Amino acid sequence: MVPLADLFNHKTDGEHVHFTKSDASDSDEEEDGDDQSNTDLDEEGDDDQNNVELVEEEDGDDQSNASADEQSTVENSTANPSGEGSNDEDLEMIIVREANPGDEVYNTYGTMGNAALLHRYGFTELDNPYDIVNIDLTLVTKWCSSKYSHRYAKARVSLWHMLGYSGCTSEDAEYFEISYDGEPQLELLILLYIIFLEPEVYDKLVCVSEDLVGDDDQDDEQDTIDSFAKVVKVTRPAKNGVEKLPDVKKLLQSEGIGSALASIADIRESLYGSSTLKDDEEKLRACSPVGERSIYHSLVLRVSERKILGRLRKHASSWPKTKKRKHT
């Protein structure tokens, strides 16, 4: 809890103020030319070491950029765990957007989806553009086992890991993120590609898998694409150009992978029970955000996630269909 900072509620992409850390000793040097540390000030009885300063944003000032967006107020105000240097910081409150008289002034807790907001702070936001849906790796394995066998699914996932790929991790769980617009995580598409490999191609890939693993981590999408291009060279040798980015990504947007995504989305949505999205939307409209707070925010999360799954299905269904060959 930070005095004054805790007065502000969160609003995604609509905040009026940001909280950032500042070096109190630097401020002292600028204002007074005093080189004494905050420790010295403590000995003199100065109790204002944790002042919250309201700083007016100037033209061209980029203090309110992404670094403040990506951290919550709680994280920004956390003291050094070791206890050292905790007297060297003030908390600055920077105005980033004007507010009219009578308007509520908002802070931001970070760019988080509804699941994170509900888990950490106990509320959600309607139409949150940072909302996502998590699909567990175990759910993908379950789908694969139902289509082939458990042994088949385990072997394909093992090869995917062997090649250096992984999903997001949280405690002991591994999962994939589906973005607000229904875009699936790239690593999920690569896993599905490996699942659909013909047995002889799969065996060939297993034999050379150790040679395909690079020393560098896959830090961004381009790194993952470059890594997958090596897999493509083994599994789909072509006369020219298959390693190029547009061609490689096109391989991950096949009819088979799109169909698999739709099936996985259905399994994920079945976890909500027998009610439909329309049922949940009607319940949400009839629910009071004040009198039925817990139910209301649970429904907001539920409706948002089901809409994202719908966008995932639509996204996958838009991929080109495989043309059937005509028999002569």
Side-chain angles (χ1 to χ4, degrees), residues 145-227:
S145 299
S146 67
K147 186 176 178 65
Y148 300 101
S149 69
H150 178 70
R151 182 178 180 182
Y152 182 103
K154 185 177 180 180
R156 299 297 169 121
V157 171
S158 177
L159 175 59
W160 176 72
H161 276 140
M162 193 184 305
L163 291 168
Y165 301 107
S166 64
C168 304
T169 56
S170 176
E171 298 180 354
D172 296 329
E174 188 171 358
Y175 61 92
F176 304 99
E177 292 183 347
I178 309 300
S179 68
Y180 182 78
D181 62 0
E183 182 78 26
Q185 189 172 330
L186 187 58
E187 285 79 3
L188 172 56
L189 299 181
I190 294 174
L191 174 56
L192 293 175
Y193 177 87
I194 292 174
I195 287 174
F196 282 119
L197 289 177
E198 295 294 332
E200 61 274 11
V201 180
Y202 165 80
D203 292 338
K204 182 180 179 181
L205 186 58
V206 170
C207 292
V208 299
S209 59
E210 292 185 1
D211 298 330
L212 299 180
V213 179
D215 297 329
D216 298 330
D217 293 333
Q218 297 170 18
D219 296 326
D220 55 28
E221 180 176 309
Q222 185 58 55
D223 290 339
T224 304
I225 286 291
D226 291 342
S227 172

Coordinates of all heavy atoms in Angstrom, one line a residue, residues 145-227:
S145 N -4.2 -37.1 -28.9 CA -4.4 -38.5 -28.4 C -5.7 -39.1 -29.0 O -5.8 -40.2 -29.3 CB -4.3 -38.6 -26.9 OG -3.1 -38.2 -26.4
S146 N -6.7 -38.2 -29.0 CA -8.1 -38.7 -29.5 C -8.0 -38.9 -31.0 O -8.8 -39.7 -31.5 CB -9.1 -37.6 -29.1 OG -8.9 -36.4 -29.8
K147 N -7.2 -38.2 -31.7 CA -7.1 -38.3 -33.1 C -6.2 -39.4 -33.6 O -6.4 -40.2 -34.5 CB -6.6 -37.0 -33.7 CG -6.6 -36.9 -35.3 CD -6.2 -35.6 -35.8 CE -6.2 -35.5 -37.3 NZ -7.5 -35.7 -37.9
Y148 N -5.1 -39.6 -32.8 CA -4.1 -40.7 -33.1 C -4.0 -41.6 -32.0 O -4.8 -42.6 -31.9 CB -2.7 -40.0 -33.4 CG -2.8 -39.1 -34.6 CD1 -2.8 -37.7 -34.4 CD2 -2.7 -39.5 -35.9 CE1 -2.9 -36.8 -35.5 CE2 -2.8 -38.7 -37.0 CZ -2.9 -37.3 -36.8 OH -2.9 -36.4 -37.8
S149 N -3.1 -41.4 -31.1 CA -2.9 -42.2 -29.9 C -2.1 -41.5 -28.8 O -1.4 -40.5 -29.2 CB -2.2 -43.6 -30.2 OG -0.8 -43.3 -30.5
H150 N -2.1 -41.9 -27.6 CA -1.4 -41.2 -26.6 C 0.1 -41.3 -26.9 O 0.9 -40.3 -26.7 CB -1.7 -41.8 -25.2 CG -0.9 -41.2 -24.1 ND1 -1.1 -39.9 -23.6 CD2 0.1 -41.7 -23.3 CE1 -0.3 -39.6 -22.7 NE2 0.5 -40.7 -22.5
R151 N 0.6 -42.4 -27.3 CA 2.0 -42.6 -27.6 C 2.4 -41.7 -28.8 O 3.5 -41.1 -28.7 CB 2.2 -44.1 -28.0 CG 3.7 -44.4 -28.3 CD 3.8 -45.9 -28.6 NE 5.2 -46.2 -29.0 CZ 5.7 -47.4 -29.3 NH1 4.8 -48.4 -29.4 NH2 6.9 -47.6 -29.6
Y152 N 1.6 -41.6 -29.8 CA 1.8 -40.7 -30.9 C 2.0 -39.3 -30.4 O 2.9 -38.6 -30.8 CB 0.7 -40.9 -31.9 CG 0.8 -40.0 -33.2 CD1 1.2 -40.6 -34.4 CD2 0.5 -38.7 -33.2 CE1 1.4 -39.9 -35.6 CE2 0.6 -37.9 -34.4 CZ 1.0 -38.6 -35.5 OH 1.2 -37.8 -36.7
A153 N 1.0 -38.8 -29.6 CA 1.0 -37.5 -29.1 C 2.2 -37.2 -28.3 O 2.9 -36.1 -28.5 CB -0.3 -37.2 -28.3
K154 N 2.6 -38.1 -27.4 CA 3.8 -37.9 -26.6 C 5.0 -37.8 -27.4 O 5.9 -36.9 -27.1 CB 3.9 -39.1 -25.6 CG 5.0 -38.9 -24.6 CD 5.0 -40.1 -23.6 CE 6.1 -39.9 -22.5 NZ 6.1 -41.1 -21.6
A155 N 5.2 -38.6 -28.4 CA 6.4 -38.6 -29.3 C 6.5 -37.2 -30.0 O 7.6 -36.7 -30.2 CB 6.3 -39.7 -30.2
R156 N 5.3 -36.8 -30.6 CA 5.4 -35.5 -31.4 C 5.7 -34.3 -30.5 O 6.4 -33.4 -30.9 CB 4.0 -35.3 -32.1 CG 3.7 -36.4 -33.1 CD 4.7 -36.5 -34.2 NE 4.6 -37.7 -35.0 CZ 4.4 -37.7 -36.3 NH1 4.2 -36.6 -37.0 NH2 4.3 -38.8 -37.0
V157 N 5.1 -34.3 -29.3 CA 5.4 -33.2 -28.4 C 6.8 -33.2 -27.9 O 7.5 -32.2 -27.8 CB 4.4 -33.2 -27.1 CG1 4.9 -32.2 -26.1 CG2 3.0 -33.0 -27.6
S158 N 7.4 -34.4 -27.7 CA 8.8 -34.6 -27.3 C 9.7 -34.1 -28.4 O 10.7 -33.4 -28.1 CB 9.0 -36.1 -27.0 OG 10.4 -36.3 -26.7
L159 N 9.4 -34.4 -29.6 CA 10.2 -33.8 -30.7 C 10.2 -32.3 -30.8 O 11.2 -31.6 -31.0 CB 9.8 -34.4 -32.1 CG 10.5 -33.9 -33.3 CD1 12.0 -34.1 -33.2 CD2 10.0 -34.5 -34.6
W160 N 9.0 -31.8 -30.6 CA 8.8 -30.3 -30.6 C 9.7 -29.7 -29.5 O 10.3 -28.7 -29.8 CB 7.3 -30.1 -30.4 CG 6.9 -28.6 -30.2 CD1 6.8 -27.7 -31.2 CD2 6.4 -28.0 -29.0 NE1 6.3 -26.5 -30.7 CE2 6.1 -26.7 -29.4 CE3 6.2 -28.4 -27.7 CZ2 5.6 -25.8 -28.4 CZ3 5.8 -27.5 -26.8 CH2 5.5 -26.2 -27.1
H161 N 9.7 -30.3 -28.3 CA 10.5 -29.8 -27.3 C 12.0 -29.9 -27.6 O 12.8 -29.1 -27.3 CB 10.2 -30.5 -26.0 CG 9.1 -29.9 -25.2 ND1 8.1 -30.7 -24.6 CD2 8.7 -28.7 -25.0 CE1 7.2 -30.0 -24.0 NE2 7.5 -28.7 -24.2
M162 N 12.3 -31.1 -28.2 CA 13.7 -31.4 -28.6 C 14.3 -30.4 -29.6 O 15.5 -30.0 -29.5 CB 13.8 -32.8 -29.2 CG 15.2 -33.4 -29.3 SD 15.2 -35.0 -30.2 CE 14.0 -35.9 -29.1
L163 N 13.4 -29.8 -30.4 CA 13.8 -28.8 -31.4 C 13.9 -27.4 -30.8 O 14.2 -26.4 -31.5 CB 12.8 -28.8 -32.5 CG 12.8 -30.0 -33.4 CD1 11.6 -30.0 -34.4 CD2 14.1 -30.1 -34.3
G164 N 13.7 -27.3 -29.5 CA 13.9 -26.0 -28.8 C 12.6 -25.2 -28.6 O 12.7 -24.0 -28.2
Y165 N 11.5 -25.7 -28.9 CA 10.2 -25.0 -28.8 C 9.6 -25.2 -27.4 O 9.7 -26.3 -26.8 CB 9.2 -25.3 -29.9 CG 9.8 -25.1 -31.3 CD1 10.2 -26.1 -32.1 CD2 9.9 -23.8 -31.7 CE1 10.7 -25.9 -33.4 CE2 10.5 -23.5 -33.0 CZ 10.8 -24.6 -33.8 OH 11.4 -24.3 -35.1
S166 N 8.8 -24.3 -27.0 CA 8.0 -24.4 -25.7 C 6.9 -23.3 -25.7 O 7.0 -22.3 -26.4 CB 8.9 -24.3 -24.5 OG 9.5 -23.0 -24.4
G167 N 5.9 -23.6 -24.9 CA 4.9 -22.6 -24.7 C 5.2 -21.6 -23.6 O 6.4 -21.6 -23.1
C168 N 4.3 -20.9 -23.1 CA 4.4 -20.1 -21.9 C 4.4 -21.0 -20.7 O 3.8 -22.1 -20.7 CB 3.3 -19.1 -21.8 SG 3.2 -18.0 -23.2
T169 N 5.0 -20.6 -19.6 CA 5.0 -21.5 -18.4 C 4.5 -20.7 -17.2 O 4.8 -19.5 -17.1 CB 6.4 -22.0 -18.1 OG1 7.4 -21.0 -18.0 CG2 6.9 -23.0 -19.3
S170 N 3.8 -21.4 -16.3 CA 3.4 -20.9 -15.1 C 3.3 -22.0 -14.1 O 2.6 -22.9 -14.2 CB 2.0 -20.2 -15.2 OG 1.5 -19.8 -14.0
E171 N 4.2 -21.9 -13.1 CA 4.4 -23.0 -12.1 C 4.7 -24.3 -12.9 O 5.7 -24.3 -13.5 CB 3.2 -23.1 -11.2 CG 2.9 -21.8 -10.4 CD 1.6 -21.9 -9.5 OE1 0.9 -22.9 -9.6 OE2 1.4 -21.0 -8.7
D172 N 3.9 -25.3 -12.8 CA 4.1 -26.5 -13.4 C 3.4 -26.7 -14.7 O 3.4 -27.8 -15.4 CB 3.8 -27.7 -12.5 CG 4.6 -27.7 -11.2 OD1 5.8 -27.3 -11.3 OD2 4.1 -28.2 -10.2
A173 N 2.7 -25.7 -15.2 CA 1.8 -25.7 -16.4 C 2.5 -25.1 -17.6 O 3.3 -24.1 -17.4 CB 0.5 -25.1 -16.1
E174 N 2.3 -25.6 -18.8 CA 2.8 -25.1 -20.0 C 1.5 -24.8 -20.9 O 0.7 -25.7 -21.0 CB 3.7 -26.0 -20.7 CG 4.4 -25.4 -21.9 CD 5.5 -26.3 -22.5 OE1 5.8 -27.4 -21.9 OE2 6.1 -26.0 -23.5
Y175 N 1.5 -23.6 -21.5 CA 0.3 -23.3 -22.2 C 0.6 -22.3 -23.4 O 1.7 -21.8 -23.5 CB -0.7 -22.6 -21.2 CG -0.2 -21.3 -20.6 CD1 -0.4 -20.0 -21.3 CD2 0.5 -21.3 -19.5 CE1 0.1 -18.9 -20.7 CE2 1.0 -20.1 -18.9 CZ 0.8 -18.9 -19.5 OH 1.3 -17.7 -19.0
F176 N -0.4 -22.1 -24.2 CA -0.3 -21.2 -25.3 C -1.3 -20.1 -25.2 O -2.4 -20.3 -24.7 CB -0.6 -22.0 -26.7 CG 0.3 -23.2 -26.9 CD1 -0.2 -24.5 -26.6 CD2 1.6 -23.0 -27.3 CE1 0.6 -25.6 -26.7 CE2 2.4 -24.2 -27.5 CZ 1.9 -25.4 -27.2
E177 N -0.9 -18.9 -25.7 CA -1.8 -17.8 -25.6 C -2.5 -17.5 -26.9 O -1.8 -17.6 -28.0 CB -1.0 -16.5 -25.2 CG -0.5 -16.5 -23.8 CD 0.2 -15.3 -23.4 OE1 0.5 -14.4 -24.3 OE2 0.5 -15.1 -22.2
I178 N -3.8 -17.2 -26.9 CA -4.5 -16.8 -28.0 C -4.8 -15.3 -27.8 O -5.4 -14.9 -26.8 CB -5.8 -17.6 -28.2 CG1 -5.6 -19.1 -28.1 CG2 -6.5 -17.2 -29.5 CD1 -4.7 -19.6 -29.2
S179 N -4.4 -14.4 -28.7 CA -4.5 -13.0 -28.5 C -6.0 -12.5 -28.6 O -6.9 -13.3 -29.0 CB -3.7 -12.2 -29.5 OG -4.2 -12.4 -30.8
Y180 N -6.2 -11.3 -28.3 CA -7.6 -10.7 -28.3 C -8.3 -10.9 -29.6 O -9.5 -11.1 -29.7 CB -7.5 -9.3 -27.9 CG -8.8 -8.6 -27.8 CD1 -9.7 -8.7 -26.7 CD2 -9.3 -7.7 -28.8 CE1 -10.9 -8.1 -26.6 CE2 -10.5 -7.0 -28.7 CZ -11.3 -7.2 -27.6 OH -12.5 -6.6 -27.6
D181 N -7.5 -10.7 -30.7 CA -8.1 -10.8 -32.0 C -8.1 -12.2 -32.6 O -8.5 -12.5 -33.8 CB -7.3 -9.9 -33.0 CG -5.8 -10.3 -33.2 OD1 -5.4 -11.3 -32.5 OD2 -5.1 -9.7 -33.9
G182 N -7.8 -13.2 -31.7 CA -7.9 -14.6 -32.1 C -6.6 -15.2 -32.8 O -6.7 -16.3 -33.3
E183 N -5.5 -14.5 -32.7 CA -4.3 -14.9 -33.3 C -3.6 -16.0 -32.4 O -3.3 -15.7 -31.2 CB -3.3 -13.8 -33.5 CG -2.0 -14.1 -34.2 CD -2.1 -14.3 -35.7 OE1 -3.0 -13.8 -36.3 OE2 -1.3 -15.1 -36.2
P184 N -3.4 -17.2 -32.9 CA -2.7 -18.2 -32.0 C -1.2 -18.0 -31.9 O -0.6 -17.4 -32.8 CB -3.0 -19.5 -32.7 CG -3.1 -19.1 -34.2 CD -3.7 -17.7 -34.2
Q185 N -0.7 -18.4 -30.8 CA 0.7 -18.3 -30.5 C 1.5 -19.2 -31.6 O 1.1 -20.3 -31.9 CB 1.1 -18.8 -29.1 CG 2.5 -18.5 -28.7 CD 2.7 -18.8 -27.2 OE1 1.8 -18.7 -26.4 NE2 3.9 -19.3 -26.9
L186 N 2.6 -18.6 -32.1 CA 3.3 -19.3 -33.2 C 3.8 -20.7 -32.8 O 3.8 -21.6 -33.6 CB 4.5 -18.4 -33.5 CG 5.3 -18.8 -34.8 CD1 4.5 -18.9 -36.0 CD2 6.5 -17.8 -35.0
E187 N 4.2 -20.9 -31.5 CA 4.7 -22.2 -31.1 C 3.6 -23.2 -31.2 O 3.9 -24.4 -31.4 CB 5.3 -22.1 -29.7 CG 6.6 -21.4 -29.6 CD 6.5 -19.8 -29.6 OE1 5.4 -19.3 -29.7 OE2 7.6 -19.2 -29.6
L188 N 2.4 -22.8 -31.0 CA 1.3 -23.8 -31.1 C 1.1 -24.3 -32.5 O 0.9 -25.5 -32.8 CB 0.0 -23.2 -30.6 CG -1.3 -24.0 -30.8 CD1 -1.3 -25.3 -30.2 CD2 -2.6 -23.2 -30.3
L189 N 1.2 -23.3 -33.5 CA 1.1 -23.7 -34.9 C 2.2 -24.6 -35.3 O 2.0 -25.6 -36.1 CB 1.2 -22.4 -35.7 CG 0.0 -21.4 -35.5 CD1 0.2 -20.2 -36.5 CD2 -1.3 -22.0 -35.7
I190 N 3.4 -24.4 -34.8 CA 4.6 -25.3 -35.1 C 4.4 -26.7 -34.5 O 4.7 -27.7 -35.2 CB 5.9 -24.7 -34.6 CG1 6.2 -23.4 -35.4 CG2 7.1 -25.6 -34.7 CD1 7.4 -22.6 -34.8
L191 N 3.8 -26.7 -33.3 CA 3.5 -28.1 -32.7 C 2.5 -28.8 -33.6 O 2.7 -30.0 -33.9 CB 3.0 -27.9 -31.3 CG 2.5 -29.2 -30.6 CD1 3.6 -30.2 -30.6 CD2 2.0 -28.9 -29.2
L192 N 1.5 -28.1 -34.1 CA 0.5 -28.8 -34.9 C 1.1 -29.2 -36.2 O 0.7 -30.3 -36.8 CB -0.7 -27.8 -35.1 CG -1.6 -27.5 -33.9 CD1 -2.6 -26.5 -34.2 CD2 -2.2 -28.7 -33.3
Y193 N 2.0 -28.4 -36.8 CA 2.7 -28.8 -38.0 C 3.4 -30.1 -37.8 O 3.4 -31.0 -38.6 CB 3.6 -27.7 -38.4 CG 4.5 -28.0 -39.6 CD1 4.0 -27.7 -40.9 CD2 5.7 -28.5 -39.5 CE1 4.8 -28.0 -42.0 CE2 6.5 -28.8 -40.6 CZ 6.0 -28.6 -41.9 OH 6.8 -28.8 -43.0
I194 N 4.1 -30.2 -36.7 CA 4.9 -31.5 -36.4 C 4.0 -32.6 -36.1 O 4.2 -33.8 -36.5 CB 5.8 -31.2 -35.2 CG1 6.9 -30.2 -35.5 CG2 6.4 -32.5 -34.7 CD1 7.8 -29.8 -34.4
I195 N 2.8 -32.4 -35.5 CA 1.8 -33.5 -35.3 C 1.4 -34.1 -36.6 O 1.1 -35.3 -36.7 CB 0.7 -32.9 -34.4 CG1 1.1 -32.7 -33.0 CG2 -0.5 -33.9 -34.5 CD1 0.1 -32.1 -32.1
F196 N 1.2 -33.2 -37.6 CA 0.6 -33.7 -38.9 C 1.7 -34.3 -39.9 O 1.3 -34.7 -41.0 CB -0.1 -32.5 -39.6 CG -1.5 -32.3 -39.0 CD1 -1.8 -31.0 -38.5 CD2 -2.4 -33.2 -39.0 CE1 -3.0 -30.8 -37.9 CE2 -3.7 -33.0 -38.5 CZ -4.0 -31.8 -37.9
L197 N 3.0 -34.3 -39.4 CA 4.0 -34.8 -40.3 C 3.7 -36.3 -40.6 O 3.4 -37.1 -39.7 CB 5.4 -34.7 -39.7 CG 5.9 -33.2 -39.6 CD1 7.3 -33.2 -38.9 CD2 6.1 -32.6 -41.0
E198 N 4.0 -36.7 -41.8 CA 3.9 -38.1 -42.2 C 5.0 -38.9 -41.4 O 6.1 -38.4 -41.1 CB 4.1 -38.3 -43.7 CG 3.0 -37.7 -44.5 CD 1.6 -38.4 -44.3 OE1 1.7 -39.6 -43.9 OE2 0.6 -37.8 -44.4
P199 N 4.8 -40.2 -41.1 CA 5.7 -41.0 -40.3 C 7.2 -40.9 -40.9 O 8.1 -40.8 -40.1 CB 5.2 -42.4 -40.4 CG 3.7 -42.2 -40.5 CD 3.6 -41.0 -41.4
E200 N 7.4 -41.1 -42.2 CA 8.7 -41.1 -42.7 C 9.4 -39.8 -42.6 O 10.6 -39.7 -42.4 CB 8.7 -41.6 -44.2 CG 7.9 -40.7 -45.1 CD 6.4 -41.1 -45.2 OE1 6.0 -41.9 -44.3 OE2 5.7 -40.5 -46.1
V201 N 8.6 -38.7 -42.8 CA 9.2 -37.3 -42.6 C 9.5 -37.1 -41.1 O 10.5 -36.5 -40.8 CB 8.2 -36.3 -43.1 CG1 8.7 -34.9 -43.0 CG2 7.8 -36.6 -44.6
Y202 N 8.6 -37.5 -40.3 CA 8.8 -37.4 -38.8 C 10.1 -38.1 -38.4 O 11.0 -37.5 -37.7 CB 7.7 -38.0 -38.0 CG 7.9 -38.2 -36.6 CD1 7.9 -37.2 -35.6 CD2 8.2 -39.5 -36.1 CE1 8.1 -37.4 -34.3 CE2 8.5 -39.7 -34.8 CZ 8.4 -38.7 -33.9 OH 8.7 -38.9 -32.5
D203 N 10.3 -39.3 -38.9 CA 11.6 -40.1 -38.6 C 12.8 -39.4 -39.1 O 13.8 -39.3 -38.4 CB 11.5 -41.5 -39.2 CG 10.4 -42.3 -38.6 OD1 10.0 -42.0 -37.4 OD2 10.0 -43.3 -39.2
K204 N 12.7 -38.8 -40.3 CA 13.8 -38.0 -40.8 C 14.2 -36.8 -40.0 O 15.3 -36.5 -39.7 CB 13.5 -37.6 -42.3 CG 14.6 -36.8 -43.0 CD 14.1 -36.4 -44.4 CE 15.2 -35.7 -45.1 NZ 14.8 -35.2 -46.5
L205 N 13.1 -36.1 -39.5 CA 13.3 -35.0 -38.6 C 14.0 -35.4 -37.3 O 14.8 -34.6 -36.8 CB 12.0 -34.2 -38.4 CG 12.0 -32.9 -37.7 CD1 13.0 -31.9 -38.4 CD2 10.6 -32.3 -37.5
V206 N 13.5 -36.5 -36.7 CA 14.1 -37.0 -35.5 C 15.6 -37.2 -35.6 O 16.4 -36.9 -34.8 CB 13.4 -38.3 -35.0 CG1 14.2 -38.9 -33.9 CG2 12.0 -38.0 -34.6
C207 N 16.0 -37.8 -36.8 CA 17.4 -38.1 -37.0 C 18.3 -36.9 -37.0 O 19.5 -36.9 -36.6 CB 17.6 -38.9 -38.3 SG 16.8 -40.5 -38.2
V208 N 17.8 -35.7 -37.5 CA 18.6 -34.5 -37.6 C 18.3 -33.5 -36.6 O 18.8 -32.4 -36.6 CB 18.5 -34.0 -39.0 CG1 19.0 -35.0 -40.1 CG2 17.1 -33.5 -39.3
S209 N 17.4 -33.8 -35.6 CA 16.9 -32.8 -34.7 C 18.0 -32.1 -33.9 O 17.9 -30.9 -33.7 CB 15.9 -33.4 -33.7 OG 16.5 -34.5 -33.0
E210 N 19.0 -32.8 -33.5 CA 20.1 -32.3 -32.7 C 20.8 -31.2 -33.5 O 21.3 -30.2 -32.9 CB 21.0 -33.3 -32.2 CG 20.4 -34.3 -31.1 CD 21.4 -35.3 -30.5 OE1 22.6 -35.2 -30.9 OE2 21.0 -36.1 -29.7
D211 N 20.9 -31.4 -34.8 CA 21.7 -30.5 -35.6 C 20.9 -29.2 -35.9 O 21.5 -28.2 -36.3 CB 22.0 -31.1 -36.9 CG 22.9 -32.3 -36.8 OD1 23.7 -32.3 -35.8 OD2 22.8 -33.3 -37.6
L212 N 19.6 -29.2 -35.6 CA 18.7 -28.1 -35.9 C 18.6 -27.1 -34.7 O 18.1 -26.0 -34.9 CB 17.3 -28.5 -36.4 CG 17.3 -29.4 -37.6 CD1 15.8 -29.8 -37.9 CD2 17.9 -28.7 -38.8
V213 N 19.0 -27.6 -33.6 CA 18.8 -26.8 -32.4 C 20.0 -25.8 -32.3 O 21.2 -26.2 -32.3 CB 18.8 -27.6 -31.1 CG1 18.7 -26.7 -29.9 CG2 17.6 -28.6 -31.2
G214 N 19.7 -24.5 -32.3 CA 20.7 -23.5 -32.2 C 21.1 -23.2 -30.8 O 20.5 -23.6 -29.8
D215 N 22.2 -22.4 -30.6 CA 22.7 -22.0 -29.3 C 21.9 -20.9 -28.7 O 21.9 -20.7 -27.5 CB 24.2 -21.7 -29.4 CG 25.0 -22.9 -29.8 OD1 24.7 -24.0 -29.5 OD2 26.1 -22.6 -30.5
D216 N 21.3 -20.1 -29.6 CA 20.6 -18.9 -29.1 C 19.2 -19.2 -28.7 O 18.5 -20.0 -29.3 CB 20.7 -17.8 -30.2 CG 22.1 -17.4 -30.5 OD1 22.9 -17.5 -29.6 OD2 22.3 -17.0 -31.7
D217 N 18.7 -18.4 -27.7 CA 17.3 -18.6 -27.4 C 16.4 -17.9 -28.4 O 16.8 -17.0 -29.1 CB 17.0 -17.9 -26.0 CG 17.7 -18.6 -24.9 OD1 17.9 -19.9 -25.0 OD2 18.1 -18.0 -23.9
Q218 N 15.2 -18.4 -28.5 CA 14.2 -17.8 -29.5 C 13.5 -16.6 -28.7 O 12.5 -16.8 -28.1 CB 13.2 -18.9 -29.9 CG 13.9 -20.0 -30.7 CD 13.0 -21.1 -31.0 OE1 11.8 -21.0 -30.9 NE2 13.6 -22.3 -31.3
D219 N 14.1 -15.4 -28.9 CA 13.6 -14.3 -28.1 C 12.4 -13.6 -28.7 O 11.7 -12.9 -28.0 CB 14.7 -13.3 -27.9 CG 15.9 -13.9 -27.0 OD1 15.6 -14.7 -26.2 OD2 17.0 -13.5 -27.3
D220 N 12.2 -13.7 -30.0 CA 11.1 -13.1 -30.6 C 10.5 -13.9 -31.8 O 11.0 -15.0 -32.0 CB 11.5 -11.7 -31.1 CG 12.7 -11.7 -32.0 OD1 12.8 -12.7 -32.7 OD2 13.4 -10.7 -32.1
E221 N 9.5 -13.4 -32.4 CA 8.8 -14.2 -33.5 C 9.8 -14.4 -34.6 O 9.7 -15.5 -35.2 CB 7.6 -13.4 -34.0 CG 6.8 -14.1 -35.1 CD 5.6 -13.4 -35.5 OE1 4.8 -13.0 -34.6 OE2 5.4 -13.2 -36.7
Q222 N 10.6 -13.5 -35.0 CA 11.5 -13.7 -36.1 C 12.5 -14.8 -35.8 O 12.8 -15.6 -36.7 CB 12.3 -12.4 -36.4 CG 13.2 -12.5 -37.6 CD 12.4 -12.8 -38.9 OE1 11.4 -12.2 -39.2 NE2 12.8 -13.9 -39.6
D223 N 13.0 -14.9 -34.6 CA 13.9 -16.0 -34.2 C 13.2 -17.3 -34.3 O 13.8 -18.3 -34.8 CB 14.3 -15.8 -32.7 CG 15.3 -14.7 -32.6 OD1 15.9 -14.3 -33.6 OD2 15.4 -14.2 -31.4
T224 N 11.9 -17.4 -33.9 CA 11.1 -18.6 -34.0 C 10.9 -19.0 -35.5 O 11.0 -20.2 -35.8 CB 9.8 -18.5 -33.3 OG1 10.0 -18.1 -31.9 CG2 9.0 -19.8 -33.3
I225 N 10.6 -18.0 -36.3 CA 10.4 -18.3 -37.7 C 11.7 -18.8 -38.4 O 11.7 -19.7 -39.2 CB 9.9 -17.0 -38.5 CG1 8.5 -16.7 -38.1 CG2 10.1 -17.1 -40.0 CD1 7.5 -17.7 -38.7
D226 N 12.8 -18.2 -38.0 CA 14.1 -18.6 -38.6 C 14.4 -20.0 -38.2 O 14.9 -20.8 -39.0 CB 15.2 -17.7 -38.1 CG 15.1 -16.3 -38.7 OD1 14.4 -16.1 -39.7 OD2 15.7 -15.3 -38.1
S227 N 14.1 -20.4 -36.9 CA 14.3 -21.7 -36.4 C 13.4 -22.7 -37.2 O 13.8 -23.8 -37.6 CB 14.0 -21.8 -34.9 OG 14.0 -23.1 -34.5

